Amino acid sequence: MRPRLPSSPPAAGVTRRGLLIGGGAGVGLILAWALWPRHYLPNLTADTGETIFGAWIKIGDDGHVTVAVPQAEHGQGVYTALPQIVADELGADWRTIAVEPAPLNPLYANALGADELFETARDTVAGRWRDAHAVRIGMMVTAGSSSVRTFEDDLRQAGAAARVLLCKVAAARWQVDWQACDTRGGFVFHGKDRLRFADLAAEAVRGSLPDALPMRVNEDDTRLSGQSLPRLDAPAKVDGSANFAGDVRLPDMVFASIRQAPGGSSRLVRVDRAAADRIPGVLQVVTNDRWVAAIGNHWWAANRALDALAPRFETQGAIVTSATIRAALQGALDTPGRRLAAVGDVDATFKDARLITAEYQVGLAAHAAVETMTATARFADGRLELWLPTLAPAMARDAAAAAAGIATDRVVVHPMLVGGAFGANLDHRCAEQAAILAVTLKRPVQLTWSRVEDLLHDRFRPPAMARMAARLGPNGQILGWRARIAAPATGQEVAARLFAQDAGFRTALALTPSGDPYAIAGAVPPYRMPAYAVDHHPADIGVPTGHWRSGAHSYTAFFTECFLDELAHLAGTEPLSYRIGMLGGDARLARCLSTAASLGGWEGGIAGSGQGIACHSFRGSHIAVLVEAHVGEGQAVSVDRIVAAVDCGRQINPDLVRQQIEGGLLFGMAAATGGSTGFTRGLPDARGFGDLGLPRLADTPDITVELISSEADPGGVSELAVPPVAPAIANALQAATGYRLRCLPLVPGTK
């Protein structure tokens, strides 16, 4: 469904003629048109007995309050945090709060999420163009730990507006000043008088709002913000009633499994249809140049048919292996890079100086989500409906429409709960394939990738290689720092896939300066030093890559915090003091470091202690991690304890923050000790969870998380804990064993 998008009158002093003159031809005109102001109307739909308050809130005649959430729930708690903001400002009873996915509408566009995803600067002309265009196309994207930061103000305004309207109606009935009324627990109060929201909603929605909305200022225990309220999605997930894309059932629906060509210029050349027809339950086989799908009356029949089909693919060009990936990274480092961040003149600082150098490498990391790629599609009367887990529903709609050969306004997307993945569902190949199958079969179809297929065709976190160099001065002071990082241009790659159907956004990408900020995001050290430089050396590894939880920060923090630890040892300085001494005015990160050290019983990282420490600042939040680890039987890395201190600003729901930090610590630990795959003959080596070396319940260390109280604006949380874990483990292993591991995953015996 395409929302109604009326344009507002031009801003004062702006005319069509001025627009054309000011914009000139080409890019100038595009920029001017993109920045033209517009307004958008809400398009929520009401169930029987519900009253709609703007774009965010519905109040039912039974007292329930439904909040529209434009972000995907993939475990991070957004279906709780965003409704909690509304309930707090509205004065609602948490027990009556419900949630539903917001419809596609530019009102819910997440420009900050797009900027954070691609690590772009918002204060440039191109950045402003991208922000404006992201709103224009209704870019609803869940990325960059941006949900609360993007929507808190809108949600508080919505809650305040509904509260004022309800108070006005109640005040009129009581014949008192509406400003003397207040709300709590789903009631409007004035003295001993009270009225339910449900009794006022239908009349209240017809009222008018003051020019300035009064926001709640009381800080007593009636405020819901800051409380660890129960998650709204937890009960349904616990009792199994929560619906994921694989739970959708439609009349006359069939089930499909798929096998796809390897990457590169591969194509399907042969299948054995007769063998597939002999599998009980198989109904049909659909092929094209890139894949073959088997259709059955249940998924297992369809998946078994793929083995019987014995599809053969032909690949032209070079075959990717672990050796070719490493050679591509090495070759990129041996060629000139693109300087994307610098302070001072590091080249002059390094001239004729004795440098300390180290080289680090990280491997491909798989998403390996519990839920494999899944989509359900129905095509009838020229209209396509899709039920799928997606982090960018408008982009999924556009991709499916293009694949099916129909207009986007004939496609309806039903966003479902997401079974983890943290970035994998920015990929919409499954939606495209399901759309093609639904149009071809002329009946509803549910497509589910097998676990093997999901790993074979993952958009992996890219591998990277770094050559670090530094010059030390008196007392170990860092006079100059340089990071040369070879990695694929994953940000550009993701953008090209995500906006393949959007000529406007491709124009915006063309306005971006050369280089890929995404590929080196997080590489600028948080420490005070007179000169530093970060260079990106783009590497073509022959493997499609994608966004993975915390993106490039997951490897740049490893490079930075391990190298800094090495410098501290060379300078003869205790690693914690070395860090804090160079932080300058960054009191928040320094407090995280001192808190983690205090809670963890930091012994200075001395030889034999098995203790390591690392820190990181990310999306407005700060974290320090202390790890105790050792090398156990069979040269396996064992993590015994993790202590994290976090300053993420003001917390909407502390329990959600704690859950995300704990989950992120384990996510980062899994990537540090496993979670990677090599390549052989053009295919990933990992075919199942057992091939990834993931930690099990018995491997889970003792975890302590300290949330530091702060009144700063909320920062990002869901990705925050991932980056510092691997360097903290590596630093701990150096203290335990006496030698430095410089490759992820951390494998004792390699350097």
Side-chain angles (χ1 to χ4, degrees):
M1 178 169 60
R2 184 181 294 276
R4 194 175 161 202
L5 310 177
S7 298
S8 70
V14 179
T15 65
R16 182 176 181 276
R17 182 174 182 274
L19 172 73
L20 294 172
I21 294 173
V27 170
L29 177 58
I30 295 171
L31 284 170
W33 175 246
L35 297 174
W36 190 285
R38 296 182 180 183
H39 295 307
Y40 305 97
L41 295 178
N43 59 333
L44 281 181
T45 56
D47 290 334
T48 303
E50 285 186 330
T51 301
I52 297 175
F53 286 76
W56 300 96
I57 301 171
K58 299 189 293 184
I59 299 178
D61 57 14
D62 61 354
H64 77 265
V65 177
T66 299
V67 179
V69 175
Q71 302 293 89
E73 175 60 81
H74 57 98
Q76 80 280 35
V78 71
Y79 271 19
T80 299
L82 297 191
Q84 189 167 342
I85 295 168
V86 171
D88 176 59
E89 198 63 45
L90 177 59
D93 183 342
W94 186 245
R95 295 170 298 180
T96 68
I97 297 296
V99 62
E100 69 179 34
L104 296 183
N105 192 315
L107 287 170
Y108 308 115
N110 185 359
L112 173 62
D115 285 334
E116 295 281 39
L117 173 62
F118 300 116
E119 302 287 347
T120 52
R122 309 187 79 189
D123 56 354
T124 64
V125 172
R128 291 194 299 274
W129 198 99
R130 282 189 299 270
D131 284 357
H133 190 64
V135 173
R136 193 66 39 82
I137 65 175
M139 185 180 176
M140 296 163 59
V141 62
T142 304
S145 302
S146 61
S147 298
V148 169
R149 293 182 294 152
T150 294
F151 295 109
E152 183 182 15
D153 286 346
D154 288 340
L155 292 166
R156 289 203 179 279
Q157 291 283 333
R163 173 171 47 80
V164 167
L165 293 174
L166 293 167
C167 284
K168 281 191 167 186
V169 173
R173 295 184 185 181
W174 294 325
Q175 297 184 344
V176 298
D177 184 355
W178 69 267
Q179 297 180 80
C181 299
D182 198 5
T183 59
R184 65 179 181 274
F187 289 86
V188 178
F189 284 85
H190 181 268
K192 294 183 179 181
D193 295 325
R194 68 177 190 172
L195 286 168
R196 295 194 316 149
F197 288 175
D199 299 330
L200 304 169
E203 183 179 351
V205 76
R206 297 193 293 269
S208 60
L209 291 170
D211 292 336
L213 284 174
M215 310 302 288
R216 291 177 70 94
V217 294
N218 58 306
E219 297 297 336
D220 57 26
D221 58 6
T222 65
R223 295 301 300 264
L224 300 182
S225 187
Q227 293 190 38
S228 293
L229 300 178
R231 289 183 64 141
L232 295 180
D233 58 326
K237 288 179 176 177
V238 170
D239 67 21
S241 62
N243 281 321
F244 292 81
D247 297 315
V248 174
R249 294 295 181 266
L250 302 172
D252 197 36
M253 189 177 82
V254 293
F255 299 84
S257 188
I258 197 167
R259 193 158 296 174
Q260 302 165 77
S265 58
S266 302
R267 66 185 184 91
L268 180 68
V269 294
R270 188 186 72 82
V271 295
D272 187 347
R273 292 176 180 267
D277 290 340
R278 291 192 290 270
I279 303 295
V282 172
L283 304 174
Q284 194 170 339
V285 173
V286 178
T287 63
N288 62 28
D289 286 345
R290 295 292 302 165
W291 48 262
V292 53
I295 318 301
N297 55 26
H298 54 89
W299 183 83
W300 183 238
N303 198 54
R304 285 182 60 212
L306 290 174
D307 290 332
L309 283 163
R312 179 173 295 178
F313 298 95
E314 179 183 79
T315 300
Q316 297 181 347
I319 302 297
V320 177
T321 66
S322 296
T324 65
I325 292 173
R326 182 179 177 84
L329 295 172
Q330 196 80 43
L333 279 178
D334 292 336
T335 59
R338 301 167 185 170
R339 185 147 295 175
L340 297 183
V343 163
D345 189 344
V346 74
D347 295 326
T349 302
F350 281 3
K351 188 176 182 180
D352 300 325
R354 179 178 177 272
L355 302 182
I356 298 165
T357 62
E359 188 168 294
Y360 300 87
Q361 184 176 356
V362 302
L364 292 156
H367 288 91
V370 173
E371 179 187 38
T372 63
M373 289 292 186
T374 305
T376 301
R378 175 169 60 192
F379 183 72
D381 301 323
R383 180 185 178 195
L384 177 68
E385 286 184 274
L386 286 167
W387 291 261
L388 75 160
T390 173
L391 303 182
M395 307 299 101
R397 175 202 61 193
D398 294 350
I406 60 177
T408 57
D409 61 3
R410 303 298 295 169
V411 179
V412 175
V413 171
H414 303 285
M416 306 296 292
L417 293 170
V418 183
F422 293 99
N425 295 106
L426 289 168
D427 179 10
H428 297 130
R429 283 174 294 168
C430 193
E432 297 170 342
Q433 294 160 355
I436 292 171
L437 290 173
V439 171
T440 303
L441 300 171
K442 296 181 174 54
R443 61 192 296 186
V445 59
Q446 184 174 100
L447 171 64
T448 303
W449 290 13
S450 67
R451 173 62 58 197
V452 173
E453 196 70 13
D454 200 65
L455 283 169
L456 287 177
H457 296 280
D458 194 10
R459 303 299 197 194
F460 299 96
R461 193 277 314 274
M465 187 178 291
R467 286 180 184 163
M468 310 294 291
R471 177 184 175 186
L472 295 185
N475 302 316
Q477 178 189 4
I478 299 177
L479 302 179
W481 171 289
R482 184 180 64 209
R484 290 177 171 170
I485 299 173
T490 299
Q492 297 174 2
E493 189 177 335
V494 172
R497 289 197 298 262
L498 200 56
F499 302 104
Q501 312 305 322
D502 187 343
F505 214 95
R506 290 200 302 273
T507 301
L509 291 173
L511 299 174
T512 304
S514 62
D516 189 358
Y518 179 100
I520 53 89
V524 173
Y527 306 104
R528 182 176 56 190
M529 51 189 71
Y532 69 76
V534 179
D535 299 340
H536 177 216
H537 297 253
D540 182 3
I541 64 170
V543 177
T545 58
H547 182 69
W548 185 88
R549 191 173 186 179
S550 80
H553 292 255
S554 63
Y555 54 78
T556 57
F558 177 70
F559 302 152
T560 298
E561 288 297 293
C562 286
F563 189 51
L564 192 89
D565 217 65
E566 295 199 49
L567 296 180
H569 285 289
L570 288 171
T573 305
E574 181 266 316
L576 173 67
S577 301
Y578 195 64
R579 286 173 168 82
I580 291 179
M582 289 192 299
L583 282 175
D586 194 343
R588 295 176 70 185
L589 189 54
R591 186 178 179 189
C592 289
L593 280 163
S594 60
T595 301
S598 177
L599 287 174
W602 174 249
E603 299 175 2
I606 59 175
S609 68
Q611 288 187 331
I613 200 164
C615 62
H616 197 59
S617 293
F618 193 22
R619 310 205 194 287
S621 295
H622 311 271
I623 185 172
V625 173
L626 183 151
V627 163
E628 293 179 356
H630 70 280
V631 177
E633 294 182 6
Q635 291 291 289
V637 173
S638 294
V639 180
D640 306 305
R641 188 179 179 212
I642 301 178
V643 177
V646 177
D647 180 352
C648 60
R650 180 168 39 82
Q651 301 160 30
I652 302 300
N653 187 312
D655 267 3
L656 291 181
V657 174
R658 191 177 302 277
Q659 291 163 17
Q660 285 306 295
I661 297 302
E662 291 177 353
L665 293 173
L666 290 173
F667 199 99
M669 173 184 153
T673 60
S676 187
T677 182
F679 258 71
T680 303
R681 296 182 59 82
L683 294 172
D685 297 331
R687 307 296 169 89
F689 286 146
D691 299 326
L692 292 171
L694 300 173
R696 302 185 181 188
L697 188 60
D699 304 315
T700 303
D702 178 71
I703 296 176
T704 301
V705 175
E706 178 70 12
L707 303 181
I708 297 173
S709 179
S710 173
E711 287 305 312
D713 289 338
V717 172
S718 66
E719 300 173 298
L720 176 64
V722 176
V725 180
I729 295 174
N731 295 339
L733 293 176
Q734 195 280 333
T737 65
Y739 61 86
R740 171 71 58 177
L741 299 179
R742 297 194 179 98
C743 295
L744 286 184
L746 299 167
V747 179
T750 63
K751 294 186 179 181

